[in-house]
Amino acid sequence: MSLNEMTGGEAIARILKGCEVGPMFGMGGFQLLPFYDAARRLGLDHNLINDERCAVFIADAYAKVSGRVAVCDATLGPGATNLVTGLVEALNAGSPLVVFVGDTHRAHSWKNMTQETRQTEILAPACKELIRIEMIERIPELVRRAFRVATSGRPGPVVVAVPEDICHGTHPFEESDFAVEPGLADTPALRCRPARDDLARAARLLGGARRPIMLCGGGIHISDATAAAEAFAHAINLPVAHTMTGKGAIACTDPLNAGLFGRYDRIANKLIDESDCILVVGCKLGEIATKRYTVPAADKTVIHLDNVAEEFDRTFTPNLRLWGDAREGLQDLQVALEAESGAIRARQQGYADEVAGRMAAWRKSVEGRLTSDERPVNMARLLAEISRAMPADGILVADGGFAAHWSGLLYDTKRAGRGFVPDRGFASIGYGLPGAMGAALAAPGRPVVSLTGDGGFNMTMGELETARRLKLPLTLIIVNNAASGYVKALQHLMYGEGNYQSSDLQEINYARVAEALGCTGIRVEDPADIAAALKQGMSGREGPTVIDVVVTRDPAHMLPGVDNRTVQVRKGDRVA
């Protein structure tokens, strides 16, 4: 069946409608106006954003929580270049995005058009693939291509550049041009299994180990492998530690959970040091996870399971490489050990009990901080209150730096799955509010709480207007220390008390800021008031609630531990 001749912008909207995409965000410009008009007529859920970087952050969190491709857009020039930070977050984190950017009219390119820049060359390194549409009739084909690339291998963002004349031009498309196979927007689109002989060898290593441990990274969530990780861990009494993005591989309250490993840890680093076989799953073993490449020790027996072969040997040379999907690989390992699993589980029960005992002892050792009544509020007390208040299906979003490190160490999920969403792909400040918006849109009905610093909120507070307009019932906790907390804490460690430069902020009552923007604002200065504030914020009321928590101003107590980079510097090592 032939359709009426339509613009390229409408063709984009029609193929997106066929993909059943969720809410989209962007800030329009002339180049993409036909797309915006078609989105209105076709009933797509498109929303104005106040800053294009936040559009990508919203899309990133939406993709992480929903497991589906998220879509956003930007206009020519400054709109496109504002996307870079968010795109790199999604690229490094493995978040499937399709991002449309307007581009110059091809007949006038390189003639000093308004806002013209070499934007495709700027954006190309920040995405998995950049597709420039050169023929209007190829729009459906190339948009489908964008979705396939975004969801295969390690998922990531694909940028589709749409020249002005392509978007405004017309073509007589056929109905069949917009056919979309089911599940095109789901991720991962393709799964592969490790080689049979490699799996058998891995099973022998794990089955013969007396102190094995599994280390899970963010790939455990990208693969939707948490149920497989939980089942395998319990089948053989295998303790599980995690990175910040891997939190939720198993529940933090599970007796087999060993918590965060790397730069900041509870008990995991010592367990890794004592281990005779380490299974790394969906983890890039980057700087923070490895405590600047010192964990695990070089002589450890390591099995590395990942579907991105390029990650093998990048920071650690494993004894065995399992190239395949995390979920499929873990399920195959469990099958390979099935005949012995009962005996292994019984043999390892004492080891599992030891891990649970160590975790209990750690919790007791920090109880004073978790229950501290000091004012300003102790960060550990704030995280303890959040852990206590959050239901099992709650989602905690953590902004970069300060907020992520504290919550990565201390926040406890109550079930396996993606209940913790930090922006660790690029660790950019400013993710807290837009990330909460994306999570709330991806999981309606689930309580969403976000932890951000005052500096991070200052960058993105305009999106409170967007959250209010969309009536999103999210709770944003601002860690108010009147400073760029992470930087000030590092300056304190490096140069001593009082030697701070460009790390202090003005004292601001952010509850009043929230109220001025038409949202609910709550100021908390006494730790005894945190629980009531959280209850009010998570009550499901329409629109966002901002809880402004006044935390310690002492830079000696701003971090959950000593950053290992400062130790290296004091030993005379050079730090990048």
Side-chain angles (χ1 to χ4, degrees):
M1 173 185 173
S2 180
L3 295 171
N4 293 329
E5 191 161 298
M6 70 180 70
T7 65
E10 180 168 341
I12 292 171
R14 283 187 178 274
I15 194 73
L16 290 179
K17 188 174 179 68
C19 293
E20 299 180 335
V21 298
M24 300 178 288
F25 290 86
M27 185 182 294
F30 180 75
Q31 289 73 24
L32 294 181
L33 283 185
F35 165 67
Y36 274 55
D37 183 62
R40 172 186 59 82
R41 290 184 285 104
L42 294 174
L44 294 177
D45 185 6
H46 191 284
N47 303 276
L48 172 65
I49 202 74
N50 285 295
D51 184 285
E52 292 88 354
R53 179 178 64 150
C54 291
V56 193
F57 282 160
I58 293 173
D60 177 82
Y62 181 90
K64 283 171 177 164
V65 174
S66 70
R68 304 189 78 245
V69 173
V71 177
C72 61
D73 63 83
T75 190
L76 171 72
T81 58
N82 277 347
L83 299 172
V84 171
T85 298
L87 286 173
V88 178
E89 167 63 36
L91 179 65
N92 291 352
S95 302
L97 273 58
V98 172
V99 181
F100 295 90
V101 296
D103 210 341
T104 52
H105 192 298
R106 291 176 300 165
H108 306 304
S109 295
W110 313 124
K111 293 168 67 174
N112 293 325
M113 292 189 71
T114 302
Q115 298 186 318
E116 183 177 23
T117 185
R118 303 178 77 93
Q119 63 183 43
T120 56
E121 294 162 65
I122 294 170
L123 296 175
C127 62
K128 189 175 179 184
E129 183 166 293
L130 191 147
I131 301 171
R132 191 168 190 263
I133 300 177
E134 300 287 357
M135 299 175 66
I136 188 172
E137 57 265 38
R138 295 190 67 191
I139 285 174
E141 168 209 344
L142 292 176
V143 173
R144 282 192 292 266
R145 160 79 182 176
F147 275 78
R148 291 191 182 101
V149 173
T151 57
S152 61
R154 178 193 288 155
V158 176
V159 172
V160 181
V162 187
E164 176 189 313
D165 53 306
I166 294 289
C167 196
H168 286 255
T170 61
H171 179 75
F173 288 95
E174 300 289 326
E175 185 77 48
S176 59
D177 291 332
F178 301 102
V180 175
E181 65 264 34
L184 184 63
D186 296 333
T187 189
L190 301 170
R191 295 181 186 269
C192 58
R193 310 182 96 101
R196 181 174 55 188
D197 290 347
D198 292 337
L199 282 165
R201 184 181 169 199
R204 288 194 297 271
L205 287 171
L206 287 166
R210 292 299 184 267
R211 299 188 70 85
I213 190 168
M214 178 160 58
L215 309 182
C216 293
I220 206 82
H221 295 297
I222 296 171
S223 175
D224 192 23
T226 56
E230 192 174 42
F232 184 51
H234 284 279
I236 61 171
N237 265 329
L238 178 65
V240 179
H242 57 78
T243 64
M244 280 186 263
T245 54
K247 185 186 286 285
I250 63 174
C252 292
T253 52
D254 192 302
L256 288 172
N257 176 62
L260 192 69
F261 70 94
R263 180 179 294 171
Y264 306 118
D265 82 305
R266 301 184 183 186
I267 63 171
N269 287 357
K270 186 171 177 55
L271 287 171
I272 293 169
D273 187 55
E274 297 169 349
S275 177
D276 56 353
C277 186
I278 301 166
L279 174 62
V280 177
V281 182
C283 179
K284 294 181 286 188
L285 293 174
E287 178 203 351
I288 291 178
T290 61
K291 198 173 182 181
R292 189 154 277 201
Y293 317 111
T294 61
V295 176
D299 60 349
K300 288 296 178 183
T301 299
V302 172
I303 303 165
H304 193 170
L305 168 61
D306 205 291
N307 77 335
V308 183
E310 291 81 2
E311 294 304 335
F312 298 138
D313 301 282
R314 187 192 295 272
T315 66
F316 190 96
T317 300
N319 300 78
L320 179 60
R321 301 159 189 83
L322 298 181
W323 186 20
D325 178 75
R327 189 187 73 182
E328 303 304 303
L330 288 173
Q331 289 175 344
D332 287 349
L333 280 173
Q334 186 170 349
V335 169
L337 286 169
E338 192 169 21
E340 310 167 60
S341 61
I344 296 172
R345 184 170 60 250
R347 185 190 73 209
Q348 297 296 93
Q349 188 61 55
Y351 174 45
D353 292 342
E354 179 189 333
V355 170
R358 288 192 190 187
M359 183 62 80
W362 177 86
R363 291 183 192 279
K364 187 173 182 180
S365 72
V366 298
E367 185 176 0
R369 298 177 70 189
L370 299 175
T371 60
S372 171
D373 291 327
E374 67 186 72
R375 298 178 61 173
V377 175
N378 187 297
M379 278 295 297
R381 171 68 183 270
L382 173 60
L383 266 299
E385 294 286 354
I386 294 171
S387 290
R388 192 158 30 246
M390 287 287 273
D393 66 341
I395 300 171
L396 180 66
V397 177
D399 209 327
F402 189 91
H405 289 275
W406 275 101
S407 51
L409 178 63
L410 295 178
Y411 177 65
D412 286 325
T413 60
K414 298 178 176 69
R415 71 181 189 188
R418 181 92 80 169
F420 180 63
V421 184
D423 66 324
R424 300 311 301 174
F426 207 30
S428 171
I429 304 300
Y431 188 89
L433 175 54
M437 294 165 64
L441 288 163
R446 292 178 65 181
V448 174
V449 175
S450 180
L451 197 68
T452 186
D454 39 10
F457 180 66
N458 288 345
M459 291 182 177
T460 60
M461 68 172 71
E463 300 311 337
L464 268 185
E465 183 276 329
T466 313
R468 177 191 172 195
R469 184 178 359 118
L470 296 177
K471 302 177 181 178
L472 296 177
L474 58 88
T475 303
L476 182 71
I477 300 172
I478 298 176
V479 177
N480 188 339
N481 55 17
S484 178
Y486 202 97
V487 173
K488 190 169 184 177
L490 290 177
Q491 289 177 340
H492 181 85
L493 288 168
M494 293 278 295
Y495 308 115
E497 185 175 355
N499 296 307
Y500 313 123
Q501 175 62 47
S502 303
S503 56
D504 288 312
L505 297 169
Q506 280 291 112
E507 289 279 357
I508 294 177
N509 186 323
Y510 289 101
R512 292 181 182 173
V513 172
E515 290 167 357
L517 286 164
C519 303
T520 301
I522 305 170
R523 176 88 162 179
V524 173
E525 299 180 3
D526 189 324
D529 298 331
I530 298 172
L534 288 171
K535 183 177 180 181
Q536 181 179 344
M538 291 191 288
S539 63
R541 64 177 58 204
E542 188 176 279
T545 296
V546 172
I547 303 176
D548 181 24
V549 183
V550 180
V551 300
T552 182
R553 265 73 175 147
D554 182 355
H557 296 99
M558 284 183 177
L559 293 181
V562 176
D563 189 304
N564 61 291
R565 292 172 298 180
T566 65
V567 174
Q568 288 181 321
V569 168
R570 286 173 178 172
K571 289 180 178 179
D573 295 341
R574 295 189 66 183
V575 178

